[in-house]
Amino acid sequence: MNTDGDISKKGCQFPFNEMFIVDGYLFFYKDGYHSFVSEKITGGSADTKHFKFSNLTLPYQKNIDYKSVKYDHLSVKNISGLSEFSCGENEIRYIPLENTKNINLILLPMDCGDAPYRYYLLSIVNNTVVSNLYVEGNLYEPEGNNIPETASFNIDKESVFTVTTTNKKFQGKNEEKKYVITKEGKIVNK
């Protein structure tokens, strides 16, 4: 805690002598400036190493047959953050994509709303949803003249996800974005 309660006048005080660490940052006072350094290392860090699939045959280029697909089931209370995708239900249905020692990747249908067919890719680490991405489905809107916005995805041999959206925002535009999954389970732009 600061020794002086009003830090607006004096700025950050250093009650722990010359330096301290908070949330992975080292704070210190040097040459009249309050400074900090992140523990994250740039260039070649573990964050740049891409996730490797072990159970999924690559390349993966399937569309989900949402009328006949077989789902696994999972209680929402078992995974932190999963309730945001459960449409108020106590249990979700999902398709497992990968289950490694540290990361679970699942495809989750979003059953609430007007769209009959929408799937999100969720990455789960330590029983917590750490990332999500809309990857497949159809969306109909009145301004779309009954032509849906359609999303599909594939995974290449390098474990890169490509999400293709046709009729983006119902304006006839097409969009293709590439994503990778880091060792930490984050879904990030490639």
Side-chain angles (χ1 to χ4, degrees):
M1 302 301 295
N2 284 310
T3 56
D4 184 351
D6 185 6
I7 65 170
S8 63
K9 294 179 184 173
K10 293 188 176 183
C12 181
Q13 306 297 304
F14 283 81
F16 304 111
N17 296 325
E18 315 237 332
M19 68 179 82
F20 60 95
I21 297 174
V22 176
D23 293 332
Y25 291 91
L26 172 66
F27 291 85
F28 58 96
Y29 189 78
K30 181 176 181 181
D31 299 329
Y33 294 97
H34 296 100
S35 306
F36 68 93
V37 177
S38 170
E39 70 179 9
K40 293 182 180 177
I41 300 168
T42 58
S45 71
D47 210 18
T48 62
K49 295 179 182 170
H50 298 176
F51 179 81
K52 296 295 180 194
F53 287 89
S54 60
N55 298 331
L56 192 61
T57 303
L58 297 179
Y60 178 90
Q61 297 177 334
K62 301 177 190 175
N63 281 344
I64 299 167
D65 183 358
Y66 69 95
K67 293 179 182 177
S68 65
V69 68
K70 302 243 187 282
Y71 294 103
D72 289 352
H73 297 269
L74 180 64
S75 173
V76 171
K77 65 182 178 184
N78 291 341
I79 307 291
S80 176
L82 195 56
S83 61
E84 294 178 38
F85 302 92
S86 71
C87 300
E89 299 293 325
N90 294 326
E91 188 175 85
I92 60 143
R93 300 174 302 138
Y94 70 97
I95 302 167
L97 275 190
E98 182 71 9
N99 183 2
T100 66
K101 187 175 183 180
N102 299 323
I103 302 171
N104 291 322
L105 296 177
I106 63 173
L107 290 173
L108 179 79
M110 291 299 288
D111 296 326
C112 46
D114 295 337
Y117 160 59
R118 286 176 72 82
Y119 284 87
Y120 280 78
L121 172 69
L122 301 183
S123 66
I124 301 169
V125 177
N126 296 326
N127 293 326
T128 302
V129 175
V130 296
S131 256
N132 71 82
L133 178 67
Y134 169 57
V135 293
E136 186 172 329
N138 293 328
L139 179 63
Y140 291 88
E141 292 289 338
E143 66 269 16
N145 296 325
N146 210 25
I147 300 171
E149 176 185 280
T150 303
S152 62
F153 77 101
N154 64 55
I155 311 168
D156 69 17
K157 289 188 178 211
E158 305 299 318
S159 300
V160 175
F161 281 75
T162 302
V163 178
T164 304
T165 306
T166 304
N167 197 24
K168 181 77 174 169
K169 296 183 181 177
F170 308 100
Q171 297 174 355
K173 297 178 183 175
N174 294 337
E175 177 181 271
E176 185 175 282
K177 290 190 174 182
K178 296 186 181 291
Y179 302 89
V180 293
I181 300 172
T182 65
K183 277 181 26 176
E184 293 80 22
K186 297 275 187 188
I187 301 169
V188 296
N189 286 318
K190 181 173 185 323

